[in-house]
């Protein structure tokens, strides 16, 4: 049965209803009562501002890898990490070339995130699909 995901739009921290849509997708996929769920988001800013996943961290106890390239925004993210210890902060600019040390695959190799993590939020308004296609979950 197809669902109109627009019906589930809701902003807690997100900008365009992603919080509600993600919550509905998790329900539809039966990913709501996991023991140790993980998500990844980059362009994370302070971890909260316009975040598609912070609601999961705050209200659902999710673990997260938050990647932020800007040094000042990363400093803001480090402040958030002091309160939410399940966030692994990474200061890097994600590249879609898998031969780069800043490919998403290589960045994730440096963290404790397990293979087969539950959610990846790519919302960078440019090379989203390229980064998705470059991720090689067999390598980390």
């Amino acid at each position: 049965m197809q669902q109109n995901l627009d019906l589930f739009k809701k902003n807690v921290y997100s900008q365009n209803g992603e919080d509600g849509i993600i919550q509905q997708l998790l329900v539809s996929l039966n990913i709501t009562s996991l023991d140790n769920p993980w998500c990844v988001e980059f362009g994370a800013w302070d971890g909260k501002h316009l975040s598609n996943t912070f609601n999961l961290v705050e209200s659902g106890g999710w673990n997260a890898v938050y990647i932020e390239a800007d040094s000042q925004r990363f400093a803001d993210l480090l402040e958030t990490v002091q309160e939410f210890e399940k966030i692994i902060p990474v200061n890097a600019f994600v590249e879609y070339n898998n031969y780069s040390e800043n490919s998403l695959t290589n960045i994730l190799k440096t963290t404790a995130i397990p293979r087969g993590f539950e959610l990846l939020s790519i919302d960078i308004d440019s090379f989203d699909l390229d980064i998705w296609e470059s991720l090689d979950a067999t390598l980390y």
Side-chain angles (χ1 to χ4, degrees), residues 23 34 68 117 123 126:
Q23 195 60 47
L34 300 174
E68 177 53 57
F117 61 91
D123 186 7
S126 59

Side-chain angles (χ1 to χ4, degrees), residues 12-14 19 22 39 41 44 46-62 64 66 77 80-81 83-85 87 119 121:
V12 179
Y13 291 95
S14 63
D19 285 315
I22 288 171
C39 61
E41 185 165 351
D46 65 351
K48 299 176 183 180
H49 182 73
L50 303 180
S51 174
N52 294 334
T53 62
F54 185 71
N55 187 45
L56 298 172
V57 172
E58 181 181 53
S59 64
W62 282 53
Y66 281 174
L77 175 58
T80 301
V81 170
E83 184 178 351
F84 296 92
E85 296 175 356
I87 297 172
L119 179 65
S121 176

Side-chain angles (χ1 to χ4, degrees), residues 53-122:
T53 62
F54 185 71
N55 187 45
L56 298 172
V57 172
E58 181 181 53
S59 64
W62 282 53
N63 300 284
V65 175
Y66 281 174
I67 306 167
E68 177 53 57
D70 181 89
S71 59
Q72 181 55 51
R73 290 178 180 175
F74 184 73
D76 295 338
L77 175 58
L78 293 177
E79 289 181 29
T80 301
V81 170
Q82 290 178 14
E83 184 178 351
F84 296 92
E85 296 175 356
K86 288 188 168 194
I87 297 172
I88 297 173
V90 177
N91 186 207
F93 181 85
V94 178
E95 298 177 8
Y96 61 89
N97 177 348
N98 242 358
Y99 298 105
S100 165
E101 75 178 70
N102 284 335
S103 71
L104 184 57
T105 301
N106 288 332
I107 290 169
L108 293 179
K109 281 183 191 179
T110 68
T111 73
I113 193 168
R115 289 185 183 158
F117 61 91
E118 286 71 28
L119 179 65
L120 171 62
S121 176
I122 303 174

